[in-house]
Amino acid sequence: MKYTEDHEWLRVDGDVVVVGITSHASEQLGDVVFVELPEPGTSVSTGDEIVVIESVKAASDIRAPLDGEIVEVNGDVADNPAMVNEDPTGKAWFFKMKVADLSALDGMMDEAAYNEMIG
C-alpha cells in the first residue's frame, strides 16, 4: 500500500487503485456517522474534494489522491458508516479509480514513511 499526507491509503488492484483512510485517520475522527461517496463515472483531479465524512467530532473531506475516474464506490460504507472505524484499511474502502498514470504512486509514502510521519 501507499499513503498520502492526508491519511489516505492506496492499493493497486489490477488496473484500478482502491482508496480509503488509514486507521490513524479513523481514530482521529472518532465514531463515523455519515459518508457521502462520489458517483461512479466521475472524473477527478488530484486534490478534488470527493468524499464527505462526518463523525461525532467533525466533518472532513477526502480529496482525490490522483487524477483519474471513479469506477466503483463502496455502498456498504454509505449504508453502515461505522465500518470506517471497524476496518478502515480493509472492508471500509471508499472508492476505486482508474488512474491516468500509475507511476504517480511512486512518489507516495510506503508504510514505514507514513508511520514515521504520524509519529
Side-chain angles (χ1 to χ4, degrees):
M1 282 203 281
K2 294 289 188 173
Y3 299 86
T4 70
E5 291 182 2
D6 294 327
H7 308 288
E8 298 163 352
W9 57 262
L10 296 86
R11 182 176 62 240
V12 177
D13 183 12
D15 64 344
V16 298
V17 175
V18 184
V19 181
I21 63 169
T22 64
S23 296
H24 176 78
S26 73
E27 290 165 9
Q28 295 299 307
L29 282 169
D31 293 337
V32 175
V33 295
F34 176 78
V35 177
E36 181 181 340
L37 299 169
E39 290 292 321
T42 303
S43 292
V44 297
S45 298
T46 302
D48 287 355
E49 295 177 359
I50 54 174
V51 174
V52 176
I53 303 172
E54 293 181 9
S55 71
V56 294
K57 290 184 182 178
S60 183
D61 295 315
I62 301 299
R63 299 180 183 274
L66 301 163
D67 296 343
E69 178 185 343
I70 305 299
V71 295
E72 186 179 344
V73 296
N74 187 351
D76 291 343
V77 168
D79 294 340
N80 182 13
M83 287 175 63
V84 175
N85 300 111
E86 295 161 6
D87 191 10
T89 58
K91 293 179 183 175
W93 56 274
F94 290 135
F95 58 88
K96 295 181 181 180
M97 62 188 301
K98 192 168 288 254
V99 178
D101 181 11
L102 280 175
S103 69
L105 289 162
D106 296 343
M108 295 186 176
M109 292 179 276
D110 62 12
E111 187 172 5
Y114 178 76
N115 286 334
E116 186 174 313
M117 182 190 87
I118 61 174

